């Protein structure tokens, strides 16, 4: 019995993994194991010796079971440690650099303007780039054969369909959707197309953002306050704006809006052509005809609208000297813009 105990304890101490442990269990502690074998010998003993023998075998069994569960615990701990060792990562290794794209400057400007207006309760409205002549011109108070149509060299698809020349087409669609209901407070970003020859300042495809507010007692003063806030947001707190009289078919009165030059602070430099002012957009009070065509009572409600060129703002804001940089997708240029959401 003593030999058996020594032999089994020895094996348990040496056991290195679960399989070895299981074998030891089978050999000594299982139903057909050596300890059970000892128990079986009891029947051959004389009656007086049975209790003594039985007690001894029991002590042996308990000792072995105790040692077995200790060995089990030791092997379990060892396997945790060895797994940790295997899965160890070297945090000092230099990581593989992931190439993450960043937002395009036009997207940046558009996003910033959208954020600005959304914070003031405006909705963002979009419309189709392939547009009906009706929404692009007719509803904007530019009837058939009006000479103003020539000013916007239009890509026509057929007599009725064209590539929209301005986001004013989204304005007229929005007014139709509201059908006389106020307040209307939207901005409408989108691509527009004109038959221009591409050069440093022209592109046959560009991005505009239209603004439109219709309600009771909306005045030119509201327009001015709105655009001044926008100018400050885009070009800095100390910017001011000025209105110059202009003409658009869909607004009356119409204005051209200049912002004080953010480069020279209005003193005069090459960016502002020595004038101290930079033209950024066209705007005005929505023409009563435009309101009436969309079911609004032009006696009771009024509105302002503006149309801004996103490329122009991007060129000015980021000091880019050629509009074509925005379309040639040179990564050396694009990767200088680092915002990604
Ligand atoms: N649609 C004009 C253009 O593309 C821009 C514009 C001017 C839009 C005045 C307006 C506006 O909404 O009120 O040149």
């Amino acid at each position: 019995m003593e030999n058996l105990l020594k032999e089994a304890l020895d094996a348990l101490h040496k056991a290195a993994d679960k399989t070895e442990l299981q074998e030891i269990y089978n050999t000594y502690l299982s139903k057909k194991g050596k300890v059970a074998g000892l128990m079986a010998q009891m029947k051959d003993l004389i009656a007086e010796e049975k209790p003594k023998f039985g007690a001894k075998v029991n002590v042996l069994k308990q000792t072995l079971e105790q040692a077995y569960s200790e060995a089990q615990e030791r092997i379990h701990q060892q396997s945790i440690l060895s797994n940790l060792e295997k899965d160890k990562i070297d945090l000092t290794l230099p990581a593989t650099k992931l190439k993450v794209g960043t937002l395009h400057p036009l997207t940046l400007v558009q996003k910033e303007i959208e954020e600005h207006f959304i914070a003031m309760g405006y909705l963002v409205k979009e419309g189709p780039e392939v547009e009906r002549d009706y929404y692009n011109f007719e509803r904007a108070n530019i009837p058939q054969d009006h000479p103003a149509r020539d000013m916007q060299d239009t890509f026509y698809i057929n007599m009725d369909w064209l590539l929209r020349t301005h986001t004013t087409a989204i304005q007229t669609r929005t007014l139709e959707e509201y059908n006389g209901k106020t307040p209307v407070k939207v901005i409408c970003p989108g691509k527009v197309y004109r038959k221009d020859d591409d050069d440093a300042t022209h592109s046959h495809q560009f991005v505009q953002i239209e603004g439109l507010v219709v309600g009771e007692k909306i005045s030119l003063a509201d327009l001015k306050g709105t655009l001044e806030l926008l100018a400050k947001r885009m070009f800095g707190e100390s910017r001011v704006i000025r209105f110059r009289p202009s003409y658009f078919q869909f607004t009356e009165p119409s204005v051209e809006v200049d912002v004080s030059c953010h480069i020279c602070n209005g003193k005069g430099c090459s960016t502002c052509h020595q004038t101290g002012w930079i033209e950024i957009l066209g705007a005005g009070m929505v023409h009563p005809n435009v309101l009436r065509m969309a079911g609004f009572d032009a006696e009771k409600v009024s509105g302002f609208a503006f149309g801004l060129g996103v490329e122009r703002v991007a060129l000015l804001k980021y000091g880019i000297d050629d509009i074509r940089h925005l379309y040639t997708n040179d990564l050396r240029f694009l990767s200088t813009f680092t915002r990604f959401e």
Side-chain angles (χ1 to χ4, degrees):
M1 235 184 263
E2 257 161 39
N3 282 345
L4 189 142
L5 179 64
K6 203 168 159 289
E7 183 186 296
L9 286 179
D10 215 36
L12 283 171
H13 273 123
K14 284 190 191 135
D17 57 34
K18 276 188 180 164
T19 332
E20 282 181 37
L21 204 58
Q22 186 63 46
E23 275 168 19
I24 297 167
Y25 184 88
N26 293 344
T27 311
Y28 297 96
L29 287 165
S30 71
K31 275 190 193 135
K32 289 179 186 157
K34 291 188 177 173
V35 177
L38 283 175
M39 282 294 200
Q41 286 176 21
M42 254 201 324
K43 67 178 185 327
D44 303 330
L45 297 176
I46 49 164
E48 302 90 88
E49 287 198 356
K50 277 186 185 174
K52 230 172 121 195
F53 185 80
K56 267 195 165 177
V57 178
N58 265 335
V59 171
L60 168 72
K61 193 176 174 208
Q62 277 163 17
T63 314
L64 278 186
E65 275 169 354
Q66 171 73 23
Y68 173 77
S69 77
E70 278 167 18
Q72 216 174 16
E73 178 60 19
R74 169 177 60 78
I75 284 168
H76 179 63
Q77 293 299 336
Q78 272 169 1
S79 92
I80 291 179
L81 284 178
S82 87
N83 279 344
L84 281 178
E85 190 63 30
K86 252 199 310 225
D87 294 344
K88 199 156 94 178
I89 37 174
D90 183 353
L91 294 173
T92 65
L93 271 177
T96 331
K97 271 213 168 154
L98 287 181
K99 285 213 169 176
V100 182
T102 53
L103 292 181
H104 189 280
L106 291 177
T107 312
L108 282 178
V109 170
Q110 184 176 327
K111 254 181 150 355
E112 197 173 340
I113 294 176
E114 283 178 8
E115 285 162 4
H116 175 75
F117 282 103
I118 287 169
M120 298 194 295
Y122 284 63
L123 298 179
V124 178
K125 288 270 174 191
E126 294 185 328
E129 288 172 38
V130 177
E131 181 57 284
R132 303 244 325 260
D133 178 283
Y134 181 68
Y135 291 110
N136 196 81
F137 290 128
E138 212 95 346
R139 277 291 190 111
N141 201 30
I142 312 174
Q144 286 288 320
D145 303 323
H146 193 285
R149 291 196 177 199
D150 297 342
M151 281 166 47
Q152 302 194 345
D153 290 314
T154 308
F155 287 112
Y156 275 96
I157 289 163
N158 58 31
M159 289 288 282
D160 291 331
W161 292 88
L162 45 78
L163 295 183
R164 71 179 171 209
T165 60
H166 53 186
T167 45
T168 306
I170 316 179
Q171 175 187 159
T172 63
R173 277 179 175 275
T174 304
L175 287 172
E176 180 178 85
E177 180 194 323
Y178 278 75
N179 189 26
K181 273 204 301 288
T182 56
V184 183
K185 255 175 102 177
V186 296
I187 55 162
C188 320
K191 287 197 194 90
V192 299
Y193 301 83
R194 288 184 203 172
K195 267 198 276 175
D196 260 332
D197 290 327
D198 292 355
D199 62 25
T201 54
H202 294 87
S203 167
H204 63 282
Q205 176 212 290
F206 54 105
V207 185
Q208 285 189 330
I209 296 180
E210 191 91 357
L212 171 69
V213 172
V214 182
E216 278 172 37
K217 300 200 176 80
I218 297 296
S219 73
L220 207 61
D222 297 316
L223 174 63
K224 195 161 188 181
T226 303
L227 293 179
E228 185 154 302
L229 268 183
L230 177 65
K232 287 180 191 300
R233 167 76 181 248
M234 299 312 288
F235 296 107
E237 264 314 298
S238 52
R239 300 280 63 82
V240 289
I241 59 166
R242 71 174 183 188
F243 280 5
R244 278 179 295 111
S246 183
Y247 179 78
F248 300 104
Q249 296 72 34
F250 31 89
T251 44
E252 181 56 40
S254 304
V255 293
E256 216 95 54
V257 183
D258 298 339
V259 57
S260 59
C261 181
H262 59 295
I263 304 291
C264 62
N265 222 355
K267 283 197 266 303
C269 67
S270 62
T271 299
C272 60
H273 302 294
Q274 313 304 330
T275 63
W277 295 95
I278 298 172
E279 185 190 320
I280 51 162
L281 52 83
M285 298 305 292
V286 181
H287 197 290
N289 286 350
V290 174
L291 289 174
R292 273 195 288 267
M293 277 187 273
F296 289 81
D297 184 346
E299 305 292 323
K300 288 217 179 90
V301 299
S302 51
F304 67 71
F306 59 87
L308 159 154
V310 172
E311 279 77 359
R312 188 158 167 73
V313 173
L315 296 189
L316 289 166
K317 192 171 160 71
Y318 302 122
I320 303 164
D321 60 0
D322 192 321
I323 197 171
R324 288 168 293 194
H325 284 313
L326 296 171
Y327 289 104
T328 40
N329 292 327
D330 185 333
L331 284 180
R332 288 168 301 180
F333 168 76
L334 292 178
S335 60
T336 60
F337 299 90
T338 51
R339 184 177 153 181
F340 25 3
E341 55 170 355

